[in-house]
Amino acid sequence: MKLPNQFYRPLAIGAPAPYREPPVKVERMIHFVPPHLEKFRAKVPDIAKQVDVVLGNLEDAIPADAKEAARAGFIEMAKAVDFGATGLWTRMNSLNSPWALDDMIEVVGAVGNKLDVVMLPKVEGPWDIAYLDQLLAQLEAKNGVARPIMIHAILETAEGVKNVDAIAAASPRMHGISLGPADLAASRAMKTTRVGGGHPEYKVIADSEGEAPRAAFQQDLWHYTIAKMVDACASAGIKAFYGPFGDFSDPAACEAQFRNAFLLGCAGAWSLHPTQIDIAKRVFSPDPKEVAFAKRVLEAMPDGTGAVMIDGRMQDDATWKQCKVVVDLAKQVAAKDADFAAIYGL
Ligand code: GLV
Ligand code: MG
């Protein structure tokens, strides 16, 4: 096992030192772009102004015969666009594919200094992170990359879920983890045909009372995995994300799924369609009423200790900490987004 004093050392001579603390950024939506298609690339300068992160997708949904074109298209758009404070990520192909190595060699070689995060799909255990960590350090050193490129893992295999604690803590290069419900459903032999969201047959029904129709309540297929992922991420000091929601015709279900993830501790979700950008913005920016209440609690307990009653509800050190989470996030969102600064009065 690597000794603790080796943990923050650069893994290649000349590579930048890993972050001690990950940069604090608002990342409510990771917006997916298919970079092999000129029509979508052309929209990136505008999209980059609306979203927190633009991600050029090289993996699933890119046809095998367009993998090289997607890589070249991503490099072209990364060079051409000024992303400002908007994050620039790529989703590379999985480590067991024929494209993964060239994805990293070419992308880091060409635009390593603009790339914030590499999303690594189908992560099974900390060994996958260790491999990419080492490779990125070699490529950073070779190409004179000044800032460490971070790794974001997708949790989308049964083995990955089993190993999620070790994945989250595998390297100081870890940025966060996203749920990948489509691949995970297949890996687990779940009997669904969807990308995220619920299923009408996954439910509990009320007890039978004579002839009366029995109430049925749909349950959340993803509750267990999201909670497990959030604990792994929070304990490692990194961020958890809901991944994709594939039914673009059902914005209400998308919003409900994103909100469950937000309430459980996630920082953001993927947007695969422009209509999902505003949903993610609304959901992953804290509710103005909650922010107003949380501010009152912080003001009523300036040093964060003791107990007070506010609107009939008991507040103490623990609720103060919850309120601080909400207000800190609201301040980060307000610093980035003038509309929310006005709404929050921050
Ligand atoms: C995402 O990659 C998923 O498989 O859901
Ligand atoms: Mg997947």
Side-chain angles (χ1 to χ4, degrees):
M1 198 191 115
K2 195 182 271 194
L3 294 171
N5 66 1
Q6 302 288 338
F7 191 69
Y8 288 103
R9 294 247 175 103
L11 293 181
I13 298 161
Y19 294 114
R20 291 268 163 168
E21 295 286 336
V24 176
K25 290 197 175 162
V26 174
E27 290 160 332
R28 295 165 293 185
M29 76 298 293
I30 302 161
H31 188 71
F32 272 54
V33 175
H36 58 306
L37 301 173
E38 158 62 23
K39 181 177 127 198
F40 288 93
R41 276 204 314 273
K43 295 183 183 158
V44 168
D46 268 351
I47 290 272
K49 297 193 187 92
Q50 299 166 40
V51 301
D52 297 333
V53 174
V54 170
L55 176 145
N57 181 25
L58 309 182
E59 198 226 9
D60 291 358
I62 307 300
D65 63 2
K67 293 290 187 185
E68 270 96 24
R71 201 187 288 142
F74 176 71
I75 291 169
E76 187 186 311
M77 90 189 201
K79 282 187 177 159
V81 178
D82 177 2
F83 288 90
T86 302
L88 176 64
W89 298 20
T90 188
R91 178 168 79 164
M92 68 182 293
N93 286 285
S94 61
L95 295 178
N96 62 359
S97 76
W99 306 290
L101 186 60
D102 288 341
D103 284 349
M104 286 300 93
I105 291 174
E106 290 185 23
V107 168
V108 179
V111 292
N113 272 310
K114 287 188 95 172
L115 188 64
D116 293 298
V117 176
V118 172
M119 185 180 271
L120 179 62
K122 307 193 177 42
V123 174
E124 308 254 49
W127 50 88
D128 290 331
I129 306 298
Y131 170 80
L132 185 58
D133 197 5
Q134 184 71 63
L135 179 64
L136 282 171
Q138 291 170 340
L139 293 172
E140 286 166 346
K142 176 167 181 233
N143 296 290
V145 174
R147 291 176 305 149
I149 298 165
M150 302 196 77
I151 299 175
H152 184 103
I154 312 181
L155 193 61
E156 53 182 353
T157 67
E159 188 169 10
V161 175
K162 194 185 67 174
N163 292 323
V164 66
D165 293 345
I167 292 168
S171 159
R173 210 186 272 280
M174 283 300 292
H175 163 279
I177 301 181
S178 284
L179 172 73
D183 270 301
L184 183 54
S187 167
R188 284 177 170 161
M190 289 167 67
K191 307 305 179 291
T192 53
T193 54
R194 301 165 172 226
V195 178
H199 192 287
E201 294 307 321
Y202 192 70
K203 63 190 176 192
V204 292
I205 58 171
D207 285 359
S208 165
E209 296 198 31
E211 297 301 304
R214 298 166 71 170
F217 302 94
Q218 200 173 317
Q219 306 292 293
D220 186 353
L221 284 169
W222 303 107
H223 176 83
Y224 152 77
T225 315
I226 293 175
K228 187 167 172 163
M229 173 179 74
V230 165
D231 283 341
C233 288
S235 61
I238 65 172
K239 298 203 276 186
F241 291 74
Y242 191 82
F245 187 90
D247 186 351
F248 304 152
S249 71
D250 195 349
C254 176
E255 180 154 349
Q257 187 78 80
F258 283 6
R259 186 160 285 109
N260 285 352
F262 176 68
L263 288 169
L264 274 181
C266 288
W270 304 0
S271 50
L272 301 183
H273 188 272
T275 55
Q276 295 181 336
I277 296 172
D278 279 343
I279 298 175
K281 207 173 271 191
R282 186 159 64 242
V283 169
F284 292 100
S285 307
D287 179 347
K289 287 206 278 307
E290 290 278 24
V291 175
F293 183 78
K295 280 203 296 194
R296 283 174 65 202
V297 174
L298 297 192
E299 279 154 21
M301 296 174 60
D303 73 353
T305 68
V308 296
M309 294 297 289
I310 298 184
D311 296 346
R313 286 186 265 165
M314 195 272 301
Q315 311 298 325
D316 68 359
D317 308 43
T319 56
W320 185 91
K321 287 179 198 150
Q322 294 175 49
C323 292
K324 186 153 180 344
V325 169
V326 171
V327 172
D328 284 352
L329 178 58
K331 282 183 183 159
Q332 288 165 24
V333 170
K336 157 158 203 151
D337 194 321
D339 294 346
F340 279 98
I343 294 170
Y344 296 147
L346 286 169

